[in-house]
């Protein structure tokens, strides 16, 4: 199968061994299929335990693929070896949720940013030059090189994590809840940075979040996950304005809006929806 | 010992550029600590004495002058002689050599076994982990000295063999240390990031994992050397050592045999042992302190970490956190017996906070204010939202109303009155705990943010609901249980009986939050303080919990203070809103005023950051990214 | 949704029977693993001792004896048998309580041990009880009150760590017994003496053991309690109007107890070794002198008996600690 998509996840199943002797394996992903187009953003929205993070980790090679395929540029990477992964890291990178644990507290920023470069065999001086470029790109001062992560605030650390992801000019960045731990105003600036970078570099994002507002703001297309399966996916406008699946409808109406009267209307709409689907979704 | 300290001296002991954070290395801090300096000096002296023993010792360790036994110190034998006429000073020096070297052997063996096995077990887990844990549990249930007796019986009196086996026996210490450090690191996101970057396992262990265990291993090694010396001396003291070799333990044995004749023989080796072990223990403590200091730096940083401050700095709106470091205020008097009357005409407010200041005294004598000049009130049946970003002081304000501030916190200004009388009178510097103890649970209650960590895992949900009712309302156990079941049904729990009997780990987060809400309303309070009550919940569960709060509040006509960062939640529940930034209250008004026509620039920035209703794929902040970046820089690199 | 799902399907009536079945199988499992540990340690010790011990028969019969006499002694002791066979026969008789006979005195090892166990165990149990009570009191007081008590506990813990137990014993015996003559320097315990002689003889040794362990124990209990006091649920309990005393004694101490018990059990393991030296210092007729003399003579059956006995004590203590911890923590009961 060939397609124009950059990343193609086809009927992916991920299982973790059950706890205890002869326990049934726990199926986190139950046949998930998504596509990410070059230079575009696929927003993946779902609640805790929906499997959205596992999907991202499977793409990164951090979760075991039980069935199905993950194609990157039409190459099957579902069971890539560590060596293949090293080559892939030039194309696929990651930004994690927690900016406090995603940077090694004992390493200086310069060393953190140079790590992906030196793994690929770049010389220290080339790496150094690239690190300066990267800091500039995420609007951090160049003297950050000799500082430790703890000297930076949450938003700045997330900029550092983004810089690390950009180091090898990847084609795809998996963003796992990258703004969830940030304050509102910081979140806005980091989202701006994501958009700016996409505009400048043409990178594609698989953008994972529990927040439908965030996903709507940044994505070209949206996929909604619920209990290990995609219940709905399509263009952002369609999924977030006129959702078809009851779960998406419920998700949309559950998120409160910053106006008491509109929120009251929305609350009413949600109650009506719940009454209509008397049996709650997935029960 | 000094050589093993080398890894603690990072090349990164660099100073920040002008006006920025100064970082000091743990090693530098170690030397600044008098205990650490003394310990290090003692150890270096001991090592030097041991190394140069052949030069410093006037006699061979076993040279015996039979005609001069048990002699007092004189110019030839500066510490006297023992019962065989051997020179005590010379034997002490050679003893230092053997004692220290064999202790190092013990530590080396223990590290050689414990460190690699701990790394492998921690990183890969699996069968190796299970097997080595089993072996470790056996080793740890062996009394060391008894096993060494058996070793002595099997292999003879060699101190080297004894210390070799003791190294094996004590290696679980290193194994466990390494394993748990590695396990905690293995799941850190930065290790995942390294894997995504394509680093091999060995590179990850070398770069990211080993650096974490290095410092604990140094601490552990100091302790292990001390224990090794103690155990070895103990064995030799029992007379099981090699009498042909001078060690401190053999000397102790010799001294104890002659304790009635010359107790000085006992004094010198005991002193040497005590000094060395003491120095090792002190060194371990000093290294730990030096490392913990850097953690403290991080905690303090995290406190005023709020990036929200940048917005302020960028816009020049209000003073930043840095301006809140005032000189220590004049000590305010403690709560007097009879609190003064509240201002007339304000008694009807359920809660009234006036010009409240909360601060933390710093070691340098200043007070760091986290809440500054905050005033608001809440009436019965009213929901007040306190909105702000992290570091805005909103939670600190809430906890001062509850009287649940950390112990080191001080009220540095203002007052709080509840239902017409003070809980913090204008001159108090602490919350009046006696008065609040009679209000908490009964008239003021609390809903926390994290549902799971706020229930005691060792008690059933039912117990944790029933006990406060018995204590506060004075009702019987049966009555309390009946009420608890009704409360659980009220908060929308489908099977109250089951949840009542369940332990916290058996229920979901959303259910746990409902249980906590049930607990908060169980004694029919007048005021509920809800600290981010839905932040830890999924958005659909959040909607249900908000519904529940609204319904209960209007039914019971309770006053609520809702602390949140989410304007959606504010719009859903609140009547009035106060906005806080950097410990100060910047704006107050009805929910419609604040959300629709915010006046303060900070409130506007916050609302502008909301994504709802924004055109997708457009920039949210007025400035372009680099400009806002400069804001970051000003704040974070202070 | 997830909300309504209950993770257990039994009613509370069968819950309690389920609980006791779980507890029972938990204890059985621990008991079984304890026996496995004991067997493993016996085998290791046995092979270690006899593998290295070359000229045992020569040692016993003396240098003057003829090679024939040595060979006869070897046959008498069973040393001509292969190691495995000797271990098997030791194990089968050990299972019936027969640990063999001393090579030098021919006294049955079990009898030699049992005549000496009372002195050692009275000392260890008294010292452990005192340490447990004092360390808990000091540790909790230091955690709750902070201030001077806290600093005192911390400083004395460092001092306690710095001075080996037997050095404390030596200092005590030199100062209080030899110089000041307040206590007997050597034991007056003998068959048939009164309680007062026991108390007088054991006071200093117990004091030495307690001084050695109490501050360290207190410090670790202190950190366990502080860790619990900082938990979120403690603040929530306060907000519910529960008194500080009830929070401390019902909730905090219960959660801190497993850590405290583990600390004390490790101290006990250490003390079983330390008591050997203390008995030597105070010349007490406990296990210690037996262990020392059999070690220096190479009286392997006795050494073996001492090792097995102490390991068995440790295993029983660990079992008790595990069971108490399991009973305190609802999650352990399940796993």
């Amino acid at each position: 199968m060939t397609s124009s998509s950059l990343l193609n996840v086809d009927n992916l199943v991920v299982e973790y061994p059950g706890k205890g002797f002869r326990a049934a394996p726990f199926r986190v992903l139950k046949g998930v299929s998504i596509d990410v187009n070059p230079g575009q953003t696929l927003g993946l929205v779902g609640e805790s335990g929906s499997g959205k993070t596992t999907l991202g980790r499977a793409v990164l090679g951090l979760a075991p693929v039980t069935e199905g395929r993950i194609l990157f540029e039409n190459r099957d990477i579902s069971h890539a070896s560590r060596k293949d992964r090293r080559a892939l890291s030039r194309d696929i990178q990651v930004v994690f949720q927690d900016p406090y644990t995603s940077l090694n507290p004992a390493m200086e920023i310069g060393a953190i940013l140079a790590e992906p470069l030196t793994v690929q065999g770049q010389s220290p001086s080339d790496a150094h030059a690239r690190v300066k470029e990267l800091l500039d790109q995420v609007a951090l001062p160049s003297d950050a090189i000799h500082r430790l992560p703890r000297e930076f605030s949450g938003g700045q650390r997330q900029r550092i994590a983004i810089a690390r992801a950009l180091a090898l000019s990847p084609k795809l960045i998996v963003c796992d809840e990258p703004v969830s731990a940030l304050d509102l105003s910081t979140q806005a600036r980091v989202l701006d940075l994501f958009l700016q970078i996409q505009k400048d570099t043409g990178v594609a994002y698989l953008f994972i979040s529990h927040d439908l507002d965030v996903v709507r703001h940044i994505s070209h297309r949206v996929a909604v996950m619920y209990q290990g399966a995609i219940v709905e996916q399509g263009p952002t406008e369609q999924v977030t304005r006129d959702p078809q699946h009851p779960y998406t409808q419920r998700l949309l109406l559950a998120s409160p809006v910053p106006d008491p009267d509109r929120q009251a209307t929305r609350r009413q709409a949600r109650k009506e929806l719940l009454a209509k689907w008397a049996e709650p979704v997935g029960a | 010992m000094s050589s093993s300290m080398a890894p603690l001296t990072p090349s990164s002991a660099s100073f920040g550029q002008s006006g920025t954070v100064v970082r000091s290395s743990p090693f530098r801090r170690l030397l600044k600590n008098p205990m650490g300096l003394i310990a290090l000096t003692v150890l270096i002296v001991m090592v030097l004495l041991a190394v140069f023993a052949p030069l410093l010792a006037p006699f061979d360790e076993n040279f015996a002058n039979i005609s001069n036994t048990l002699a007092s110190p004189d110019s030839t034998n500066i510490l006297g002689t023992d019962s065989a006429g051997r020179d005590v000073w010379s034997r002490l020096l050679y003893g230092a050599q053997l004692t220290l070297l064999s202790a190092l052997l013990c530590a080396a063996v223990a590290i050689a076994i414990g460190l690699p096995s701990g790394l492998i077990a921690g990183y890969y887990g699996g069968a190796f982990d299970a097997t080595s844990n089993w072996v470790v549990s056996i080793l740890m249930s062996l009394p060391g000295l008894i096993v060494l007796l058996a070793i002595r019986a099997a292999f003879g009196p060699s101190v080297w063999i004894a210390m070799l086996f003791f190294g094996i026996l004590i290696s679980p210490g290193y194994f466990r240390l390494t394993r748990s450090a590695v396990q905690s690191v293995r799941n850190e996101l930065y290790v995942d990031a390294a894997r995504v970057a394509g680093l091999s396992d060995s590179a990850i262990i070398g770069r990211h994992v080993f650096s974490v265990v290095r410092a604990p291993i140094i601490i552990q090694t100091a302790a292990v050397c001390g224990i090794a010396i103690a155990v070895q001396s103990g064995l030799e003291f029992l007379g099981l050592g090699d009498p042909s070799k001078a060690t401190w333990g053999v000397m102790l044995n010799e001294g104890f045999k002659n304790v009635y004749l010359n107790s000085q023989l006992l004094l010198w080796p005991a002193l040497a042992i005590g000094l060395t072990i003491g120095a090792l223990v002190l060194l371990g403590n000093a290294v730990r302190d030096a490392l913990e200091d850097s953690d403290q730096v991080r905690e303090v940083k995290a406190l005023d970490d709020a990036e929200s401050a940048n917005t302020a700095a960028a816009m020049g709106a209000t003073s930043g956190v840095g301006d809140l470091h005032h000189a220590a205020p004049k000590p305010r008097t403690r709560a007097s017996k009879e609190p003064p009357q509240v201002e007339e005409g304000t008694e009807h407010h359920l809660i009234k906070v006036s010009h409240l200041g909360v601060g933390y005294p710093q070691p340098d004598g200043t007070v760091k204010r986290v809440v500054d000049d905050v005033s608001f009130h809440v009436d019965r049946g009213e929901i007040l939202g306190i909105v702000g970003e992290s570091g805005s002081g909103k939670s600190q304000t809430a906890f001062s109303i509850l009287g649940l501030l950390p112990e080191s916190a001080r009220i540095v200004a203002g007052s709080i009155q509840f239902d017409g009388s003070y809980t913090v009178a204008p001159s108090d510097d602490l919350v009046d705990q006696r008065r609040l103890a009679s209000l908490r649970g009964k008239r003021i209650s609390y809903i926390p943010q994290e549902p799971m960590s706020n229930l005691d895992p060792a008690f059933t949900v039912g117990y944790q609901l029933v006990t406060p009712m018995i204590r506060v309302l004075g009702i019987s156990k049966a009555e309390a249980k009946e009420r608890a079941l009704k409360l659980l049904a009220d908060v929308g729990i489908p099977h109250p009986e089951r949840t009542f009997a369940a332990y916290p780990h058996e229920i979901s987060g959303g259910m746990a939050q409902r249980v906590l809400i049930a607990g908060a309303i169980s004694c029919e309070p007048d005021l509920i303080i809800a600290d981010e009550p839905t932040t830890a919940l999924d958005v659909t569960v959040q909607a249900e919990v908000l519904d529940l709060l609204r319904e209960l509040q209007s039914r019971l006509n309770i006053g609520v203070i809702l602390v949140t960062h989410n304007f959606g939640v504010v719009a859903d529940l609140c009547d009035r809103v106060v906005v806080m930034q950097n410990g100060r209250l910047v704006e107050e008004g009805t929910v419609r005023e604040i959300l629709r026509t915010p006046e303060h620039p900070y409130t506007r920035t916050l609302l502008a950051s909301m994504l709802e209703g924004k055109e997708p794929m457009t920039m949210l902040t007025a400035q372009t990214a680099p400009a806002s970046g400069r804001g970051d820089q000003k704040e974070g690199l202070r | 949704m997830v909300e309504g799902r209950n993770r257990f399907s039994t009613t509370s009536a069968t819950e309690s029977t389920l609980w006791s079945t779980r507890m029972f199988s938990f204890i059985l499992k621990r008991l079984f693993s304890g026996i496995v540990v004991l067997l493993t340690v016996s085998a290791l010790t046995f092979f270690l001792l006899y593998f290295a011990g070359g000229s045992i028969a020569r040692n016993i019969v003396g240098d003057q004896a003829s090679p024939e006499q040595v060979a006869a002694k070897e046959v008498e002791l069973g040393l001509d048998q292969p190691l495995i066979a000797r271990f098997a026969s030791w194990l089968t008789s050990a299972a019936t309580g027969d640990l063999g006979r001393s090579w030098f005195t021919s006294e049955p090892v079990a009898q030699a041990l049992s005549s000496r166990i009372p002195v050692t165990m009275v000392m260890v149990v008294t010292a452990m009880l005192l340490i447990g009570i004092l360390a808990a009191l000091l540790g909790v007081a230091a955690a709750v009150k902070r201030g001077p008590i806290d600093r005192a506990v911390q400083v004395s813990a460092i001092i306690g760590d710095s001075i080996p137990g037997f050095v404390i014993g030596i200092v005590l015996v030199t100062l209080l017994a030899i110089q000041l003559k307040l206590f007997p320097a050597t034991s007056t315990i003998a068959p048939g003496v009164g309680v007062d002689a026991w108390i007088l003889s054991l006071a200093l040794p117990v004091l030495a053991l307690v001084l050695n362990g109490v501050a360290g124990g207190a410090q670790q209990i202190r950190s366990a309690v502080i860790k619990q006091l900082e938990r979120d649920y403690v603040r929530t309990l306060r907000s519910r109007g529960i008194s500080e005393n009830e929070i401390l004694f019902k909730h905090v101490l219960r959660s801190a107890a497993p850590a405290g018990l583990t600390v004390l059990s490790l101290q006990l393991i250490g003390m079983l070794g330390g008591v050997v030296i203390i008995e030597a210092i105070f010349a007490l007729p406990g296990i210690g002198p037996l262990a020392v003399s059999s070690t220096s003579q190479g009286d392997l059956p006795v050494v073996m008996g001492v090792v097995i006995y102490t390991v068995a004590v440790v295993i029983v203590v660990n079992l008790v600690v595990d069971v108490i911890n399991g009973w305190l923590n609802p999650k352990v009961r399940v796993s």
Side-chain angles (χ1 to χ4, degrees), chain C residues 250-334:
Chain C
K250 253 196 158 137
H251 296 269
V252 169
L253 288 193
R254 184 185 172 127
S255 308
L261 280 176
T262 308
V263 167
L264 292 178
S265 75
L266 286 175
Q267 283 216 348
L268 184 95
I269 296 176
M271 191 185 285
L272 288 174
V275 75
V276 169
I277 307 182
I278 293 293
E279 284 174 351
I281 294 172
F282 293 93
L284 288 163
I287 298 282
L290 182 71
V292 173
S293 64
S294 60
T295 299
S296 53
Q297 287 172 330
D299 194 349
L300 300 189
V302 181
V303 176
M304 187 76 200
V306 170
V307 172
I308 296 311
Y309 167 70
T310 36
V311 171
V313 170
V314 170
I315 287 172
V316 169
V317 168
N318 282 346
L319 179 73
V320 171
V321 168
D322 277 351
V323 169
I324 296 177
N325 284 353
W327 175 69
L328 284 173
N329 180 354
K331 277 192 218 171
V332 170
R333 291 201 293 255
V334 181

Side-chain angles (χ1 to χ4, degrees), chain C residues 82-148:
Chain C
L83 212 49
I84 301 276
R86 272 149 60 193
F87 179 64
S89 82
W90 179 87
L91 197 62
T92 40
S93 41
T96 64
D98 173 15
L99 294 170
R101 282 169 182 274
S102 160
W103 287 343
F104 290 85
T105 64
S106 298
E107 191 187 4
V109 174
Q111 188 187 319
L113 282 174
S114 59
S115 69
R116 285 154 181 277
I117 284 171
V119 174
T120 305
M121 285 324 278
V122 165
M123 203 156 50
V124 168
V125 169
T126 317
M128 266 329 287
L129 281 178
L130 286 173
I131 287 180
I133 294 166
L134 289 174
L137 286 177
L138 286 171
V140 172
V144 175
K145 304 269 180 220
R146 302 289 178 102

Side-chain angles (χ1 to χ4, degrees), chain C residues 22 74 78 81 97 111 132 165 179 219 229 244 287 332:
Chain C
R22 268 174 184 165
E74 282 190 344
Q81 306 269 320
Q111 188 187 319
Q179 305 280 351
Q219 203 216 15
L229 277 172
E244 283 300 312
I287 298 282
V332 170

Side-chain angles (χ1 to χ4, degrees), chain C:
Chain C
M1 296 260 325
V2 188
E3 276 303 271
R5 196 176 66 208
N6 241 309
R7 297 205 190 139
F8 43 91
S9 47
T10 46
T11 66
S12 51
T14 53
E15 190 82 337
S16 64
T17 45
L18 192 68
W19 187 89
S20 47
T21 333
R22 268 174 184 165
M23 203 62 196
F24 185 66
S25 74
F26 174 76
I27 294 175
L28 267 189
K29 244 188 249 172
R30 289 299 151 117
L31 202 59
F32 176 74
S33 77
I35 290 169
V36 172
V37 169
L38 193 59
L39 282 178
T40 315
V41 173
S42 321
L44 281 177
T45 315
F46 191 92
F47 289 119
L48 198 71
L49 283 176
Y50 288 89
F51 174 74
S55 51
I56 300 157
R58 169 62 71 189
N59 278 353
I60 295 169
V61 293
D63 290 342
Q64 266 74 51
S66 66
E68 290 75 27
Q69 282 173 302
V70 174
K73 194 72 190 175
E74 282 190 344
V75 173
E76 184 196 327
L77 297 177
L79 292 176
D80 54 338
Q81 306 269 320
L83 212 49
I84 301 276
R86 272 149 60 193
F87 179 64
S89 82
W90 179 87
L91 197 62
T92 40
S93 41
T96 64
D98 173 15
L99 294 170
R101 282 169 182 274
S102 160
W103 287 343
F104 290 85
T105 64
S106 298
E107 191 187 4
V109 174
Q111 188 187 319
L113 282 174
S114 59
S115 69
R116 285 154 181 277
I117 284 171
V119 174
T120 305
M121 285 324 278
V122 165
M123 203 156 50
V124 168
V125 169
T126 317
M128 266 329 287
L129 281 178
L130 286 173
I131 287 180
I133 294 166
L134 289 174
L137 286 177
L138 286 171
V140 172
V144 175
K145 304 269 180 220
R146 302 289 178 102
I149 302 180
D150 192 12
R151 279 192 292 278
V153 165
Q154 304 238 52
V155 170
S156 38
I158 293 179
I159 297 173
D161 275 352
S162 307
I163 306 172
F166 72 95
V167 174
I168 297 178
I170 292 173
V171 171
L172 285 180
V173 83
T174 333
L175 282 182
L176 298 181
I178 293 173
Q179 305 280 351
L180 300 176
K181 304 198 189 314
L182 295 176
F183 293 90
T186 55
S187 149
T188 53
I189 293 176
V193 298
V195 177
D196 48 339
W198 277 74
I199 293 177
L200 215 53
S201 292
L202 293 183
L204 279 189
V206 167
L207 183 63
L209 291 173
V210 170
L211 283 181
N212 186 37
V214 72
Q219 203 216 15
Q220 282 174 292
I221 289 172
R222 166 193 175 273
S223 12
V225 171
I226 286 181
K227 204 173 146 198
Q228 292 301 321
L229 277 172
E230 286 170 351
R231 298 268 297 265
D232 283 352
Y233 71 78
V234 170
R235 188 169 59 201
T236 301
L237 286 169
R238 285 192 181 124
S239 83
R240 297 280 187 263
I242 304 286
S243 70
E244 283 300 312
N245 278 339
E246 184 168 352
I247 291 176
L248 180 65
F249 289 106
K250 253 196 158 137
H251 296 269
V252 169
L253 288 193
R254 184 185 172 127
S255 308
L261 280 176
T262 308
V263 167
L264 292 178
S265 75
L266 286 175
Q267 283 216 348
L268 184 95
I269 296 176
M271 191 185 285
L272 288 174
V275 75
V276 169
I277 307 182
I278 293 293
E279 284 174 351
I281 294 172
F282 293 93
L284 288 163
I287 298 282
L290 182 71
V292 173
S293 64
S294 60
T295 299
S296 53
Q297 287 172 330
D299 194 349
L300 300 189
V302 181
V303 176
M304 187 76 200
V306 170
V307 172
I308 296 311
Y309 167 70
T310 36
V311 171
V313 170
V314 170
I315 287 172
V316 169
V317 168
N318 282 346
L319 179 73
V320 171
V321 168
D322 277 351
V323 169
I324 296 177
N325 284 353
W327 175 69
L328 284 173
N329 180 354
K331 277 192 218 171
V332 170
R333 291 201 293 255
V334 181
S335 68

Side-chain angles (χ1 to χ4, degrees), chain B residues 440-462:
Chain B
R440 266 198 306 260
K442 188 172 191 163
R443 303 198 57 197
I444 307 180
S445 69
Y446 166 62
I447 302 173
Q449 169 172 357
E450 273 292 332
M452 292 320 271
S453 67
N454 279 288
L455 290 169
D456 185 342
F459 290 86
T460 61
V461 165

Side-chain angles (χ1 to χ4, degrees), chain A residues 24-122:
Chain A
F26 181 58
R27 192 168 271 221
V28 187
L29 295 184
K30 306 164 181 168
V32 169
S33 303
I34 53 164
D35 284 294
V36 182
N37 295 326
Q40 291 207 340
T41 303
L42 174 72
L44 189 61
V45 72
E47 300 195 332
S48 54
S50 62
K52 58 187 191 304
T53 293
T54 306
L55 177 50
R57 292 179 69 85
V59 171
L60 293 164
L62 298 172
V65 173
T66 311
E67 281 169 38
R69 289 190 309 171
I70 302 172
L71 300 176
F72 182 78
E73 294 183 320
N74 293 317
R75 275 177 294 145
D76 190 342
I77 60 164
S78 355
H79 302 282
S81 67
R82 188 56 74 90
K83 192 160 152 267
D84 298 337
R85 278 279 154 203
R86 194 169 306 163
L88 268 175
S89 74
R90 262 177 252 143
D91 294 326
I92 306 180
Q93 270 301 330
V94 63
V95 176
F96 288 112
Q97 166 177 8
D98 188 348
Y100 292 87
T101 64
S102 66
L103 306 175
N104 186 337
M107 279 167 73
E108 293 182 1
I109 304 307
I112 290 172
L113 293 180
E115 186 167 74
L117 299 165
T118 47
V119 172
Q120 300 294 337
Q122 280 200 21

Side-chain angles (χ1 to χ4, degrees), chain A residues 47-48 57 82 86 89 115 119 146 151 156 159 183 185-186 192 217 250 259 261 263 267 270, chain B residues 23 192 196 198-199 207-208 307 389-390 538 540 544 547 550 572 592 596 617 620-621 632:
Chain A
E47 300 195 332
S48 54
R57 292 179 69 85
R82 188 56 74 90
R86 194 169 306 163
S89 74
E115 186 167 74
V119 172
H146 294 299
E151 295 171 45
Q156 290 170 326
R159 286 171 191 274
D183 272 329
S185 50
T186 315
D192 282 355
H217 186 76
R250 190 175 162 202
D259 184 279
D261 299 326
Q263 173 58 18
R267 204 158 55 216
R270 179 167 55 84
Chain B
R23 221 196 301 156
D192 281 341
V196 171
L199 259 71
R207 281 178 72 92
H208 295 286
E307 221 186 344
E389 297 187 308
S390 52
D538 275 328
T540 50
E544 288 163 14
D547 286 346
R550 186 183 321 95
D572 195 64
R592 283 177 180 77
R596 288 180 186 165
M617 305 268 177
L620 292 159
T621 47
D632 284 358

Side-chain angles (χ1 to χ4, degrees), chain A residues 11-32:
Chain A
N11 208 19
L12 181 69
V13 174
V14 171
E15 281 178 352
Y16 284 107
K19 278 181 191 161
F21 184 59
R22 274 192 287 189
F26 181 58
R27 192 168 271 221
V28 187
L29 295 184
K30 306 164 181 168
V32 169

